[in-house]
Each structure stands twice: as C-alpha cells, then as structure tokens.
Amino acid sequence: MNTPQFLISGFRFPFAAWLARSLQAAGAQVTALDSNRAALSKLIAPAVPFVRLPCLRAHPGRFLDAVNRLAKNAPATRLIPMFEESFWLARQHALGRLDPSIALFALPDALITRLHSKFDVLALAQAAGLIAPRTEIVNNVADWRRLSVDYRAPLLKQEFSSFGHGVFLDPRIPLIEAQLPRRDGGRWLIQERLSGREVCTYNLAHNGKLLAHACYLPRHRWKQSAAFGFEALHHPDVEAFCRRFIAQHALSGQISFDLMETPDGLAIVECNPRATNGLLLLDNVGARLLNAQDTDAPVLLPTDGDIRSFHCMLRSKARFAGAVQRAETAHEIARSSDLFAGVSAPRLTAAMSLHMLDITQNMLRWHVPARFASVADISWQYREAQ
C-alpha cells in the first residue's frame, strides 16, 4: 500500500502544524510549505520536513513553480492550503496551472469567493437556516451618511476583511471618509452590529459529509485580532447547521464560521473558507482525514469544555495589566492546556523572536498594521496576481 503524500501550505499557523503532525502520526508522508520562517509551528511539529517557498504576493509565478516541482517529486500528492493562499491556489487549479498530479484539498474557486465575501455569504447562510444581520453596500460617504442613521449600531467593514484589518467599529464620519476611497479589500459594507454570545466553528468535510467539527468559544484576543484561547462547546444547533451547509454544497475541504447567538436565533457573522484555530481542539484529525472514505465513521468532535491556549500569549497580555487581570490570567493558565507544552523557555523565546521578525519585515515591506502583517503576503487581497 502506497504511503499517502501531503503538502501543507501556510505552515506558519500553529493549526497547520497541528494537522501536519497529526497526519504524520497517522502514517502519512507530510511536507510543510511557507514563505514565512514558520518558527512557532516548528515547535509544534518539529519532525515534519519544511520547505521555504518564494513569497506569494511578490512572486506568484515562482511560488506556483515551486509547488509544482515538489508535487512532481512525489506523485499523487494532496495539497492542503491552510490559509487564504487557498483562494489563489483554487483559482490556479481552475485555470489548469497546478500540476495534474496534485489533488487540491480546498473548496472550489466558483464558491470560495462567495463564501469569503462578507456580503454574499449572508444569503448562503440564510438558505441553510441562519439569521443574517442587516447589511448594505456603501459606495461613498453620501451612502454612509444616508444609511447609518437607520442603523442602531452600525459598523463599516470591507467585503474581504481579514484579521480585523478593514473593520471599523467607530462610525464617526471623518474616520469613514478617510477609509472609503480604499478598494484593496472589495466593496465597503455597512452592517448592524450583532449582540450576543460569539461562537466559532471549524469543519473538515469530504464529498458533502462532515468528518470533523469543533464548535468553540474564543477566550482571549488582542483587540480585533484572532483569539489565542479556545474552549470547546457542544452545540447541537451549530453542528446541525454545519452538516446542512456542507451537504447542500457538497463540500470537500475545510470551512469555518463565526456565528452569534442572538435573542432571535443563531446568526451568521462571517465565513472563513479555510482552516482556523478550532482545529487545535481536535485530536487524531489526521487519522480521520485519511479515513475520509468511511462514511459510517462518526464525526470527530472535541471534548466539551476542553480549554486550550497559548500560555505565552496570555502572559504577554497580562504583563502590563492590573492585579485583577493578572490573577485571572493565572487562573486561566491553571485550567487550560498549553499548546506549546514541553517547549523550553529559551526555544520559545527564540521562535517568538523570529516570528516577530517576520511580522516586522511584512509591516515595512507592505505598509500594513502589526495585526495584519503576519498574513499580508498570503491574504485575500493578493490572489489577483495571476
């Protein structure tokens, strides 16, 4: 029996390392790919071979050539993109530019853009039974002035915003006037801000069947950026929606949703048609993916109430906080599993230094804020490079 071959791109994200390590443990041959140093991920999956690629945003042709060369060296390879490079790779696949031996495990190009659109996904989610917040397209400042008075709690966001970049919760007109000329993230949208409990999901699907599902509560984050603490939550309604949506669209790949429990029911916030941190709550996910053809196997779920976090991030956030928050942080660390458990302090410090170097270089190269700099070279806005 041939050993399954996988390429995992976007390896800079710890959830990518989690999947790579799990696939390797299940018997697959895995190679990790990224243009970033991926220093933190190497702590999670140190035994997974790593290949550094050319920068996708700066050199898309060289990036594609490198991926195709790797595939030719290992026929029948499955390529699993873990972040928004999946959008660009899905387009290359649709155009016939990926090596024919590559099986791309990502959502199709015809659908992936609609799912990532903060506007188009609303109708898709409503068709699967969710509530959608009131949302309209804003073409100019006059539109914003006219529409915002009719919204109880308006926010402005770009259609393809990512990592909180392009989302504005402050509706003051001078701030909005300064942003509306930008078109680097699609159309501008005005949206009614939802209130309630935020719940997030990660889903692994094959041929319209749900293989693995994690519903979780995001516990800690820096302002509007991604969370770094996650609590598994058993939520039958959320799981039922994900099953229904995946079946309706016959999906194969990874898809994630941010949802809100509101007084009127479960509402869609956005869809990330890729992997997210919920993957970190799923043990043995690699074995479930390798066994995807077994339609009778149960859906892989996390343990309800399991809390996993990056303790180093918790400590960093509490360093400049008051005594109460420091005590809360100590309690959180005591009750959660550290995703960098077993890594020595010197190794973690060295990896964090390299991670910050990558972020700083992206900030300077692409002129973006820090929270977006870690993904500026592979985010949605840059898939237009053909």
Side-chain angles (χ1 to χ4, degrees), residues 358-381:
D358 280 327
I359 288 177
T360 302
Q361 288 176 336
N362 270 356
M363 287 175 63
L364 296 173
R365 185 176 190 181
W366 307 116
H367 308 290
V368 294
R371 70 172 182 268
F372 185 62
S374 63
V375 301
D377 55 325
I378 56 171
S379 73
W380 154 262
Q381 288 93 326

PDB file of all heavy atoms in Angstrom, residues 358-381:
ATOM      1  N   ASP A 358       9.528  38.232  11.237  1.00  0.00           N
ATOM      2  CA  ASP A 358       8.694  38.084  10.043  1.00  0.00           C
ATOM      3  C   ASP A 358       7.610  39.152   9.994  1.00  0.00           C
ATOM      4  O   ASP A 358       7.338  39.749   8.942  1.00  0.00           O
ATOM      5  CB  ASP A 358       8.043  36.693  10.025  1.00  0.00           C
ATOM      6  CG  ASP A 358       8.990  35.610   9.544  1.00  0.00           C
ATOM      7  OD1 ASP A 358       9.844  35.908   8.690  1.00  0.00           O
ATOM      8  OD2 ASP A 358       8.865  34.470  10.011  1.00  0.00           O
ATOM      9  N   ILE A 359       6.974  39.401  11.132  1.00  0.00           N
ATOM     10  CA  ILE A 359       5.904  40.405  11.192  1.00  0.00           C
ATOM     11  C   ILE A 359       6.461  41.793  10.889  1.00  0.00           C
ATOM     12  O   ILE A 359       5.876  42.568  10.104  1.00  0.00           O
ATOM     13  CB  ILE A 359       5.226  40.369  12.580  1.00  0.00           C
ATOM     14  CG1 ILE A 359       4.368  39.103  12.708  1.00  0.00           C
ATOM     15  CG2 ILE A 359       4.366  41.618  12.795  1.00  0.00           C
ATOM     16  CD1 ILE A 359       3.718  38.934  14.062  1.00  0.00           C
ATOM     17  N   THR A 360       7.589  42.125  11.485  1.00  0.00           N
ATOM     18  CA  THR A 360       8.190  43.440  11.265  1.00  0.00           C
ATOM     19  C   THR A 360       8.580  43.634   9.800  1.00  0.00           C
ATOM     20  O   THR A 360       8.345  44.704   9.215  1.00  0.00           O
ATOM     21  CB  THR A 360       9.423  43.611  12.168  1.00  0.00           C
ATOM     22  OG1 THR A 360       9.035  43.443  13.540  1.00  0.00           O
ATOM     23  CG2 THR A 360      10.044  44.984  11.982  1.00  0.00           C
ATOM     24  N   GLN A 361       9.146  42.606   9.193  1.00  0.00           N
ATOM     25  CA  GLN A 361       9.528  42.705   7.785  1.00  0.00           C
ATOM     26  C   GLN A 361       8.300  42.914   6.898  1.00  0.00           C
ATOM     27  O   GLN A 361       8.347  43.710   5.940  1.00  0.00           O
ATOM     28  CB  GLN A 361      10.287  41.453   7.368  1.00  0.00           C
ATOM     29  CG  GLN A 361      11.692  41.374   7.955  1.00  0.00           C
ATOM     30  CD  GLN A 361      12.412  40.083   7.629  1.00  0.00           C
ATOM     31  OE1 GLN A 361      11.787  39.054   7.357  1.00  0.00           O
ATOM     32  NE2 GLN A 361      13.728  40.125   7.655  1.00  0.00           N
ATOM     33  N   ASN A 362       7.195  42.225   7.200  1.00  0.00           N
ATOM     34  CA  ASN A 362       5.974  42.426   6.416  1.00  0.00           C
ATOM     35  C   ASN A 362       5.389  43.816   6.635  1.00  0.00           C
ATOM     36  O   ASN A 362       4.855  44.436   5.701  1.00  0.00           O
ATOM     37  CB  ASN A 362       4.942  41.362   6.768  1.00  0.00           C
ATOM     38  CG  ASN A 362       5.046  40.132   5.895  1.00  0.00           C
ATOM     39  OD1 ASN A 362       5.845  40.086   4.971  1.00  0.00           O
ATOM     40  ND2 ASN A 362       4.238  39.130   6.177  1.00  0.00           N
ATOM     41  N   MET A 363       5.445  44.315   7.870  1.00  0.00           N
ATOM     42  CA  MET A 363       4.958  45.671   8.140  1.00  0.00           C
ATOM     43  C   MET A 363       5.706  46.689   7.289  1.00  0.00           C
ATOM     44  O   MET A 363       5.096  47.591   6.696  1.00  0.00           O
ATOM     45  CB  MET A 363       5.140  46.005   9.627  1.00  0.00           C
ATOM     46  CG  MET A 363       4.179  45.313  10.569  1.00  0.00           C
ATOM     47  SD  MET A 363       4.581  45.677  12.308  1.00  0.00           S
ATOM     48  CE  MET A 363       4.317  47.453  12.350  1.00  0.00           C
ATOM     49  N   LEU A 364       7.015  46.551   7.237  1.00  0.00           N
ATOM     50  CA  LEU A 364       7.824  47.507   6.488  1.00  0.00           C
ATOM     51  C   LEU A 364       7.676  47.318   4.978  1.00  0.00           C
ATOM     52  O   LEU A 364       7.634  48.291   4.216  1.00  0.00           O
ATOM     53  CB  LEU A 364       9.293  47.353   6.890  1.00  0.00           C
ATOM     54  CG  LEU A 364       9.618  47.684   8.354  1.00  0.00           C
ATOM     55  CD1 LEU A 364      11.067  47.334   8.675  1.00  0.00           C
ATOM     56  CD2 LEU A 364       9.338  49.146   8.650  1.00  0.00           C
ATOM     57  N   ARG A 365       7.573  46.070   4.551  1.00  0.00           N
ATOM     58  CA  ARG A 365       7.522  45.795   3.110  1.00  0.00           C
ATOM     59  C   ARG A 365       6.187  46.171   2.501  1.00  0.00           C
ATOM     60  O   ARG A 365       6.121  46.724   1.399  1.00  0.00           O
ATOM     61  CB  ARG A 365       7.806  44.316   2.864  1.00  0.00           C
ATOM     62  CG  ARG A 365       7.909  43.936   1.395  1.00  0.00           C
ATOM     63  CD  ARG A 365       8.289  42.491   1.213  1.00  0.00           C
ATOM     64  NE  ARG A 365       8.616  42.189  -0.180  1.00  0.00           N
ATOM     65  CZ  ARG A 365       8.970  40.988  -0.616  1.00  0.00           C
ATOM     66  NH1 ARG A 365       9.040  39.971   0.230  1.00  0.00           N
ATOM     67  NH2 ARG A 365       9.249  40.798  -1.902  1.00  0.00           N
ATOM     68  N   TRP A 366       5.089  45.871   3.230  1.00  0.00           N
ATOM     69  CA  TRP A 366       3.765  46.053   2.649  1.00  0.00           C
ATOM     70  C   TRP A 366       2.990  47.217   3.271  1.00  0.00           C
ATOM     71  O   TRP A 366       1.849  47.462   2.878  1.00  0.00           O
ATOM     72  CB  TRP A 366       2.958  44.756   2.794  1.00  0.00           C
ATOM     73  CG  TRP A 366       3.680  43.554   2.246  1.00  0.00           C
ATOM     74  CD1 TRP A 366       4.109  42.456   2.941  1.00  0.00           C
ATOM     75  CD2 TRP A 366       4.079  43.320   0.889  1.00  0.00           C
ATOM     76  NE1 TRP A 366       4.743  41.570   2.114  1.00  0.00           N
ATOM     77  CE2 TRP A 366       4.743  42.065   0.849  1.00  0.00           C
ATOM     78  CE3 TRP A 366       3.942  44.044  -0.291  1.00  0.00           C
ATOM     79  CZ2 TRP A 366       5.258  41.526  -0.329  1.00  0.00           C
ATOM     80  CZ3 TRP A 366       4.468  43.516  -1.463  1.00  0.00           C
ATOM     81  CH2 TRP A 366       5.105  42.279  -1.473  1.00  0.00           C
ATOM     82  N   HIS A 367       3.597  47.897   4.249  1.00  0.00           N
ATOM     83  CA  HIS A 367       2.979  49.086   4.859  1.00  0.00           C
ATOM     84  C   HIS A 367       1.601  48.763   5.438  1.00  0.00           C
ATOM     85  O   HIS A 367       0.592  49.385   5.087  1.00  0.00           O
ATOM     86  CB  HIS A 367       2.885  50.224   3.831  1.00  0.00           C
ATOM     87  CG  HIS A 367       4.175  50.531   3.155  1.00  0.00           C
ATOM     88  ND1 HIS A 367       5.246  51.132   3.796  1.00  0.00           N
ATOM     89  CD2 HIS A 367       4.603  50.272   1.877  1.00  0.00           C
ATOM     90  CE1 HIS A 367       6.254  51.253   2.954  1.00  0.00           C
ATOM     91  NE2 HIS A 367       5.908  50.747   1.785  1.00  0.00           N
ATOM     92  N   VAL A 368       1.576  47.784   6.324  1.00  0.00           N
ATOM     93  CA  VAL A 368       0.330  47.338   6.947  1.00  0.00           C
ATOM     94  C   VAL A 368       0.499  47.349   8.460  1.00  0.00           C
ATOM     95  O   VAL A 368       1.623  47.306   8.968  1.00  0.00           O
ATOM     96  CB  VAL A 368      -0.065  45.918   6.475  1.00  0.00           C
ATOM     97  CG1 VAL A 368      -0.407  45.909   5.004  1.00  0.00           C
ATOM     98  CG2 VAL A 368       1.048  44.910   6.772  1.00  0.00           C
ATOM     99  N   PRO A 369      -0.619  47.405   9.222  1.00  0.00           N
ATOM    100  CA  PRO A 369      -0.514  47.378  10.688  1.00  0.00           C
ATOM    101  C   PRO A 369      -0.055  46.012  11.198  1.00  0.00           C
ATOM    102  O   PRO A 369      -0.163  44.998  10.504  1.00  0.00           O
ATOM    103  CB  PRO A 369      -1.937  47.695  11.147  1.00  0.00           C
ATOM    104  CG  PRO A 369      -2.811  47.340   9.999  1.00  0.00           C
ATOM    105  CD  PRO A 369      -2.005  47.591   8.768  1.00  0.00           C
ATOM    106  N   ALA A 370       0.391  45.987  12.438  1.00  0.00           N
ATOM    107  CA  ALA A 370       1.007  44.787  13.007  1.00  0.00           C
ATOM    108  C   ALA A 370       0.067  43.596  13.000  1.00  0.00           C
ATOM    109  O   ALA A 370       0.477  42.468  12.699  1.00  0.00           O
ATOM    110  CB  ALA A 370       1.490  45.080  14.429  1.00  0.00           C
ATOM    111  N   ARG A 371      -1.217  43.804  13.343  1.00  0.00           N
ATOM    112  CA  ARG A 371      -2.124  42.660  13.480  1.00  0.00           C
ATOM    113  C   ARG A 371      -2.379  41.974  12.136  1.00  0.00           C
ATOM    114  O   ARG A 371      -2.798  40.819  12.098  1.00  0.00           O
ATOM    115  CB  ARG A 371      -3.443  43.088  14.125  1.00  0.00           C
ATOM    116  CG  ARG A 371      -4.350  43.958  13.261  1.00  0.00           C
ATOM    117  CD  ARG A 371      -5.707  44.152  13.914  1.00  0.00           C
ATOM    118  NE  ARG A 371      -6.604  44.947  13.095  1.00  0.00           N
ATOM    119  CZ  ARG A 371      -6.723  46.266  13.188  1.00  0.00           C
ATOM    120  NH1 ARG A 371      -5.984  46.941  14.054  1.00  0.00           N
ATOM    121  NH2 ARG A 371      -7.568  46.924  12.409  1.00  0.00           N
ATOM    122  N   PHE A 372      -2.154  42.699  11.028  1.00  0.00           N
ATOM    123  CA  PHE A 372      -2.361  42.138   9.701  1.00  0.00           C
ATOM    124  C   PHE A 372      -1.065  41.682   9.046  1.00  0.00           C
ATOM    125  O   PHE A 372      -1.071  40.937   8.070  1.00  0.00           O
ATOM    126  CB  PHE A 372      -3.059  43.188   8.816  1.00  0.00           C
ATOM    127  CG  PHE A 372      -3.445  42.708   7.449  1.00  0.00           C
ATOM    128  CD1 PHE A 372      -4.349  41.670   7.276  1.00  0.00           C
ATOM    129  CD2 PHE A 372      -2.902  43.299   6.320  1.00  0.00           C
ATOM    130  CE1 PHE A 372      -4.705  41.228   6.008  1.00  0.00           C
ATOM    131  CE2 PHE A 372      -3.256  42.871   5.051  1.00  0.00           C
ATOM    132  CZ  PHE A 372      -4.156  41.835   4.900  1.00  0.00           C
ATOM    133  N   ALA A 373       0.058  42.112   9.623  1.00  0.00           N
ATOM    134  CA  ALA A 373       1.343  41.880   8.965  1.00  0.00           C
ATOM    135  C   ALA A 373       1.703  40.406   8.867  1.00  0.00           C
ATOM    136  O   ALA A 373       2.389  39.999   7.926  1.00  0.00           O
ATOM    137  CB  ALA A 373       2.445  42.631   9.718  1.00  0.00           C
ATOM    138  N   SER A 374       1.236  39.594   9.806  1.00  0.00           N
ATOM    139  CA  SER A 374       1.601  38.172   9.774  1.00  0.00           C
ATOM    140  C   SER A 374       1.003  37.445   8.577  1.00  0.00           C
ATOM    141  O   SER A 374       1.447  36.356   8.215  1.00  0.00           O
ATOM    142  CB  SER A 374       1.165  37.478  11.070  1.00  0.00           C
ATOM    143  OG  SER A 374      -0.241  37.514  11.213  1.00  0.00           O
ATOM    144  N   VAL A 375      -0.014  38.050   7.930  1.00  0.00           N
ATOM    145  CA  VAL A 375      -0.681  37.390   6.800  1.00  0.00           C
ATOM    146  C   VAL A 375      -0.682  38.254   5.539  1.00  0.00           C
ATOM    147  O   VAL A 375      -1.295  37.884   4.541  1.00  0.00           O
ATOM    148  CB  VAL A 375      -2.136  37.008   7.164  1.00  0.00           C
ATOM    149  CG1 VAL A 375      -2.164  36.080   8.348  1.00  0.00           C
ATOM    150  CG2 VAL A 375      -2.998  38.255   7.437  1.00  0.00           C
ATOM    151  N   ALA A 376      -0.002  39.378   5.570  1.00  0.00           N
ATOM    152  CA  ALA A 376      -0.100  40.342   4.470  1.00  0.00           C
ATOM    153  C   ALA A 376       0.355  39.776   3.141  1.00  0.00           C
ATOM    154  O   ALA A 376      -0.060  40.254   2.085  1.00  0.00           O
ATOM    155  CB  ALA A 376       0.715  41.594   4.801  1.00  0.00           C
ATOM    156  N   ASP A 377       1.214  38.759   3.164  1.00  0.00           N
ATOM    157  CA  ASP A 377       1.743  38.205   1.916  1.00  0.00           C
ATOM    158  C   ASP A 377       0.896  37.079   1.350  1.00  0.00           C
ATOM    159  O   ASP A 377       1.123  36.638   0.220  1.00  0.00           O
ATOM    160  CB  ASP A 377       3.173  37.707   2.139  1.00  0.00           C
ATOM    161  CG  ASP A 377       3.280  36.723   3.285  1.00  0.00           C
ATOM    162  OD1 ASP A 377       2.535  36.872   4.281  1.00  0.00           O
ATOM    163  OD2 ASP A 377       4.104  35.791   3.203  1.00  0.00           O
ATOM    164  N   ILE A 378      -0.100  36.583   2.111  1.00  0.00           N
ATOM    165  CA  ILE A 378      -0.942  35.487   1.598  1.00  0.00           C
ATOM    166  C   ILE A 378      -2.424  35.741   1.843  1.00  0.00           C
ATOM    167  O   ILE A 378      -3.232  34.824   1.801  1.00  0.00           O
ATOM    168  CB  ILE A 378      -0.556  34.117   2.214  1.00  0.00           C
ATOM    169  CG1 ILE A 378      -0.622  34.161   3.745  1.00  0.00           C
ATOM    170  CG2 ILE A 378       0.807  33.676   1.731  1.00  0.00           C
ATOM    171  CD1 ILE A 378      -0.469  32.787   4.383  1.00  0.00           C
ATOM    172  N   SER A 379      -2.806  36.986   2.072  1.00  0.00           N
ATOM    173  CA  SER A 379      -4.208  37.279   2.366  1.00  0.00           C
ATOM    174  C   SER A 379      -5.020  37.410   1.081  1.00  0.00           C
ATOM    175  O   SER A 379      -4.476  37.443  -0.019  1.00  0.00           O
ATOM    176  CB  SER A 379      -4.320  38.562   3.191  1.00  0.00           C
ATOM    177  OG  SER A 379      -4.044  39.680   2.384  1.00  0.00           O
ATOM    178  N   TRP A 380      -6.316  37.522   1.239  1.00  0.00           N
ATOM    179  CA  TRP A 380      -7.252  37.555   0.105  1.00  0.00           C
ATOM    180  C   TRP A 380      -6.874  38.579  -0.945  1.00  0.00           C
ATOM    181  O   TRP A 380      -6.929  38.317  -2.148  1.00  0.00           O
ATOM    182  CB  TRP A 380      -8.661  37.852   0.604  1.00  0.00           C
ATOM    183  CG  TRP A 380      -9.523  38.507  -0.440  1.00  0.00           C
ATOM    184  CD1 TRP A 380      -9.797  39.831  -0.587  1.00  0.00           C
ATOM    185  CD2 TRP A 380     -10.167  37.855  -1.540  1.00  0.00           C
ATOM    186  NE1 TRP A 380     -10.579  40.047  -1.685  1.00  0.00           N
ATOM    187  CE2 TRP A 380     -10.827  38.856  -2.289  1.00  0.00           C
ATOM    188  CE3 TRP A 380     -10.253  36.534  -1.951  1.00  0.00           C
ATOM    189  CZ2 TRP A 380     -11.558  38.554  -3.428  1.00  0.00           C
ATOM    190  CZ3 TRP A 380     -10.990  36.250  -3.096  1.00  0.00           C
ATOM    191  CH2 TRP A 380     -11.627  37.251  -3.818  1.00  0.00           C
ATOM    192  N   GLN A 381      -6.491  39.783  -0.502  1.00  0.00           N
ATOM    193  CA  GLN A 381      -6.313  40.884  -1.457  1.00  0.00           C
ATOM    194  C   GLN A 381      -5.305  40.575  -2.553  1.00  0.00           C
ATOM    195  O   GLN A 381      -5.310  41.211  -3.594  1.00  0.00           O
ATOM    196  CB  GLN A 381      -5.855  42.147  -0.726  1.00  0.00           C
ATOM    197  CG  GLN A 381      -6.944  42.795   0.129  1.00  0.00           C
ATOM    198  CD  GLN A 381      -6.902  42.302   1.561  1.00  0.00           C
ATOM    199  OE1 GLN A 381      -6.570  41.159   1.808  1.00  0.00           O
ATOM    200  NE2 GLN A 381      -7.245  43.156   2.485  1.00  0.00           N
TER     201      GLN A 381
END
